[in-house]
């Protein structure tokens, strides 16, 4: 069965567009994430600053940068004490533990200034992953991972780092408040707002969904892809304008096709977590690349 795009009102917080819309709204993003974190982490959250879609560039051109979906910095008397990286994920096959290991390294690097001697001043970091699939297959609603000493398990090893994986459908561990929040995150319908925290979160979500700029920004996947391809086409044409007419035509068409397929695959990843299904979509949309569909999926997945 093909993918049927949701309407804006049907979007859930685990969907990237709605998550980004909430994080980008300066009026509600701070109280929203203070409340969300206080429930999920069962701790008081002080003053915070919320940034959406933060780019951390690569150190050199051949290395990879990262994009943080939502970064929350918590302050105590103007000093950053805690950093929270909140990443909703619908797709599997990212190998999240190693994915998050890389993200942690890039995030920490931003808080180590030249000449720093007291490393205890590095803020605590919480790398928070929220998925609708069970990464570890144990049916827990949350998995908290900290570094520890194998020889002395009860040895306190305080490096300020936690990886926390929330599974929206998990049945074990956690608390009722966390379960309520995760259920709402998975299915952001008012009927799932069953306690004070989720009812407040629901009010924030309904407000964001009612904003004209959010509705205008929510394009169909097809429209968005067409726009992206057109931008790529224009960029490529500008880049090769000084080349001969034949080379411009050949290189542009080749790059556009490759970039078109790359964007198509990357977009489908948000909605389809099965490589074979994505390959089938490529064969359907790009018959000339039918024989290379599996190879292209592996290349750009």
């Amino acid at each position: 069965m093909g993918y049927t795009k949701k309407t804006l009102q049907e979007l859930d917080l685990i969907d990237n567009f709605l998550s980004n819309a909430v994080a980008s709204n300066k009026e509600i993003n701070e109280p929203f994430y203070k409340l969300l974190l206080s429930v999920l982490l069962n701790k008081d959250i002080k003053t915070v600053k919320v940034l959406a879609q933060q780019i951390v560039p690569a150190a050199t051109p051949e290395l990879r940068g990262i994009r943080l979906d939502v970064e929350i910095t918590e302050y105590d008397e103007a000093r950053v004490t805690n950093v929270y990286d909140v990443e909703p994920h619908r797709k599997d096959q990212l190998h999240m533990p190693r994915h998050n290991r890389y993200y942690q390294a890039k995030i920490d690097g931003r808080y180590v200034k030249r000449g720093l001697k007291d490393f205890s001043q590095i803020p605590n970091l919480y790398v928070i992953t929220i998925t609708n699939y069970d990464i570890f297959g144990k049916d827990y609603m949350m998995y908290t991972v900290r570094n520890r000493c194998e020889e002395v398990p009860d040895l306190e090893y305080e490096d300020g780092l936690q990886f926390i994986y929330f599974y929206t459908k998990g049945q074990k561990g956690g608390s009722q408040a966390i379960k309520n929040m995760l259920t709402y995150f998975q299915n952001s319908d008012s009927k799932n707002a069953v306690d004070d925290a989720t009812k407040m979160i629901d009010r924030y979500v309904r407000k964001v969904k009612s904003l004209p700029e959010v509705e205008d920004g929510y394009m169909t996947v097809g429209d968005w892809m067409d726009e992206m391809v057109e931008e790529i086409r224009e960029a490529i044409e500008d880049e090769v304008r000084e080349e001969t007419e034949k080379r411009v035509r050949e290189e542009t068409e080749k790059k556009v096709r490759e970039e078109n397929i790359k964007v198509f695959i990357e977009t489908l990843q948000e909605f389809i977590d099965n490589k074979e299904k994505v390959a089938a979509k490529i064969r359907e949309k790009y018959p000339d690349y039918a024989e290379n569909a599996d190879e292209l999926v592996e290349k750009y997945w």
Side-chain angles (χ1 to χ4, degrees), residues 42-56:
N42 190 28
K43 67 191 292 276
D44 291 332
I45 305 295
K46 298 183 178 180
T47 304
V48 299
K49 179 180 180 181
V50 179
L51 295 173
Q53 302 294 311
Q54 285 293 97
I55 302 296
V56 181

Side-chain angles (χ1 to χ4, degrees), residues 33-43 45 142 166 175-182 195 197-198 201:
Y33 278 99
K34 282 185 67 174
L35 179 55
L36 178 67
L37 292 174
S38 69
V39 172
L40 293 183
L41 303 180
N42 190 28
K43 67 191 292 276
I45 305 295
M142 62 184 297
F166 289 98
S175 65
Q176 187 61 48
I178 293 174
K179 184 177 180 61
N180 292 344
M181 188 63 73
L182 292 176
D195 56 18
T198 50
I201 290 290

Side-chain angles (χ1 to χ4, degrees), residues 90-93 132-133 268-278 301:
R90 277 187 169 276
K91 57 188 177 184
D92 202 345
Q93 303 177 355
N132 62 349
Y133 59 93
L268 287 181
Q269 285 184 69
E270 298 295 332
F271 313 105
I272 302 176
D273 58 8
N274 184 290
K275 291 183 179 180
E276 293 181 359
K277 292 181 180 179
V278 173
W301 189 267

Side-chain angles (χ1 to χ4, degrees), residues 26-287:
K26 297 184 182 301
E27 182 180 349
I28 71 167
N29 60 6
E30 293 181 5
F32 177 94
Y33 278 99
K34 282 185 67 174
L35 179 55
L36 178 67
L37 292 174
S38 69
V39 172
L40 293 183
L41 303 180
N42 190 28
K43 67 191 292 276
D44 291 332
I45 305 295
K46 298 183 178 180
T47 304
V48 299
K49 179 180 180 181
V50 179
L51 295 173
Q53 302 294 311
Q54 285 293 97
I55 302 296
V56 181
T60 57
E62 68 272 14
L63 297 179
R64 175 178 175 173
I66 64 173
R67 183 188 66 185
L68 307 178
D69 285 346
V70 185
E71 181 184 34
I72 303 105
T73 47
E74 183 179 4
Y75 295 83
D76 187 1
E77 297 182 354
R79 185 177 74 87
V80 177
T81 55
N82 298 297
V83 177
Y84 307 91
D85 170 33
V86 180
E87 303 281 334
H89 282 280
R90 277 187 169 276
K91 57 188 177 184
D92 202 345
Q93 303 177 355
L94 284 177
H95 200 296
M96 293 307 304
R98 289 178 184 263
H99 170 278
N100 286 351
R101 169 186 161 189
Y102 183 63
Y103 268 51
Q104 169 259 313
K106 296 292 290 183
I107 295 169
D108 272 343
R110 302 164 68 205
Y111 293 93
V112 182
K113 305 298 183 182
R114 185 184 300 274
L116 177 69
K117 298 186 183 302
D118 182 4
F119 282 82
S120 69
Q121 297 303 305
I122 299 175
N124 299 318
L125 174 60
Y126 298 78
V127 180
I128 299 170
T129 305
I130 305 175
T131 68
N132 62 349
Y133 59 93
D134 191 351
I135 294 174
F136 304 105
K138 303 296 183 181
D139 198 28
Y140 278 81
M141 66 181 73
M142 62 184 297
Y143 302 87
T144 303
V145 181
R146 296 184 177 93
N147 288 323
R148 67 180 181 87
C149 175
E150 290 190 3
E151 289 75 15
V152 189
D154 59 349
L155 175 70
E156 290 190 13
Y157 187 81
E158 183 49 56
D159 61 359
L161 174 63
Q162 291 187 40
F163 296 97
I164 308 176
Y165 299 86
F166 289 98
Y167 170 40
T168 57
K169 304 174 187 176
Q171 299 300 314
K172 301 178 183 177
S175 65
Q176 187 61 48
I178 293 174
K179 184 177 180 61
N180 292 344
M181 188 63 73
L182 292 176
T183 298
Y184 184 84
F185 215 92
Q186 166 73 30
N187 185 357
S188 303
D189 190 293
S190 294
K191 68 182 181 183
N192 291 321
V194 296
D195 56 18
D196 290 344
T198 50
K199 287 177 182 176
M200 180 60 72
I201 290 290
D202 182 57
R203 283 197 285 272
Y204 291 139
V205 167
R206 284 188 284 113
K207 180 173 183 177
V208 167
K209 286 183 176 181
S210 70
L211 296 174
E213 60 269 28
V214 174
E215 184 175 0
D216 291 343
Y218 188 56
M219 299 178 292
T220 65
V221 172
D223 290 342
W224 181 81
M225 288 179 59
D226 289 343
E227 181 177 312
M228 289 290 291
V229 170
E230 184 60 30
E231 290 178 359
I232 293 167
R233 184 189 304 275
E234 292 174 359
I236 293 173
E237 289 175 349
D238 288 341
E239 182 181 318
V240 299
R241 184 166 293 144
E242 296 181 359
E243 299 182 10
T244 64
E245 182 177 352
K246 179 180 179 180
R247 184 172 181 180
V248 169
R249 184 171 58 254
E250 293 175 349
E251 289 296 320
T252 299
E253 290 176 355
K254 178 181 178 181
K255 290 181 180 180
V256 167
R257 285 195 300 271
E258 283 284 326
E259 289 293 340
N260 195 348
I261 293 173
K262 179 175 182 289
V263 171
F264 186 68
I265 292 171
E266 291 176 345
T267 301
L268 287 181
Q269 285 184 69
E270 298 295 332
F271 313 105
I272 302 176
D273 58 8
N274 184 290
K275 291 183 179 180
E276 293 181 359
K277 292 181 180 179
V278 173
K281 291 288 186 182
I282 292 174
R283 295 186 184 95
E284 179 182 338
K285 188 173 180 64
Y286 303 98

